[in-house]
Amino acid sequence: MSWRRRNRGGRRPRARWSQPRSAAPIWAALGGRAWRRVSGTACLAPEPRKSPSLTAVDHRLIMFGGRWGQGRFLNDLWVFDTRTSQWLCVDESEDTVVMPNTPSHRGRPCPRWAHSAMPFGERILFFGGSAPGKCFNDVHWFDLASS
């Protein structure tokens, strides 16, 4: 087993850090060899961020957490429906200061970035991540069937 780089052709998405909230584009290279911009995301969309997780389950992309700017860590959860090209905000981010060993409200993970996520049937497993002065080793499930 080895890694291979695949040349897809087409115009690649440029690197971006900050864009207006309503203009956050989605790019796809599915079912073909060229990049294309997915339209229909002009209304509600998550704010730009670094190092969230993005997990594919069926026709949905689930995005959790990340970091915005230098000090705002997020624990919001968004679902992008690839059939309708629309975002849905399931949980807004909490405006809390991340403190070691402080549980989040409503049982969800506290704000973090650079965590791992893995689909498991109709659930997603989230592990670890970091926030200022803290590295996490906790595990959380998000159940798509009950949301």
Side-chain angles (χ1 to χ4, degrees), residues 70-121:
Q70 292 301 312
R72 185 162 179 231
F73 291 79
L74 307 167
N75 69 338
D76 53 349
L77 189 127
W78 290 78
V79 176
F80 183 79
D81 187 318
T82 60
R83 294 177 180 164
T84 63
S85 295
Q86 297 296 314
W87 283 103
L88 170 68
C89 181
V90 177
D91 278 319
E92 291 186 14
S93 195
E94 298 171 332
D95 288 326
T96 60
V97 176
V98 180
M99 300 297 289
N101 302 318
T102 302
S104 178
H105 300 296
R106 298 184 293 161
R108 65 180 159 151
C110 62
R112 65 190 62 209
W113 75 318
H115 52 279
S116 299
M118 178 76 160
F120 193 81

